[in-house]
Amino acid sequence: MPIYEYELCDGECAVCGGQFTLRRPVSAAPLTHCPTCQKPVRKLISSFSSPMKLKPLSISDAKKAGF
């Protein structure tokens, strides 16, 4: 399941702190209100993690990995 980041549209909240993250299925309906304080929220564009390529794979490395 992807992790989504949200922030309040207006104001702050002592409960959620104004920003929070949730794990939600892709098929879930868009979240429009904070689950704790019920204020309107918007989804943030967040970064993603990708493996860093340290060196090019050689044929022998690929064979060791089972390819």
Side-chain angles (χ1 to χ4, degrees):
M1 273 194 288
I3 297 174
Y4 294 101
E5 294 182 71
Y6 295 91
E7 71 177 357
L8 295 179
C9 291
D10 293 318
E12 294 184 9
C13 174
V15 178
C16 69
Q19 285 191 335
F20 58 94
T21 59
L22 289 176
R23 287 180 49 178
R24 295 173 51 88
V26 176
S27 61
L31 187 67
T32 57
H33 290 83
C34 175
T36 56
C37 68
Q38 300 303 314
K39 292 183 180 179
V41 295
R42 64 177 159 239
K43 186 167 40 169
L44 299 174
I45 297 174
S46 56
S47 62
F48 59 92
S49 177
S50 64
M52 292 184 61
K53 190 174 181 182
L54 299 177
K55 65 175 187 168
L57 287 176
S58 66
I59 293 174
S60 61
D61 289 339
K63 286 181 180 178
K64 288 178 190 174
F67 291 99

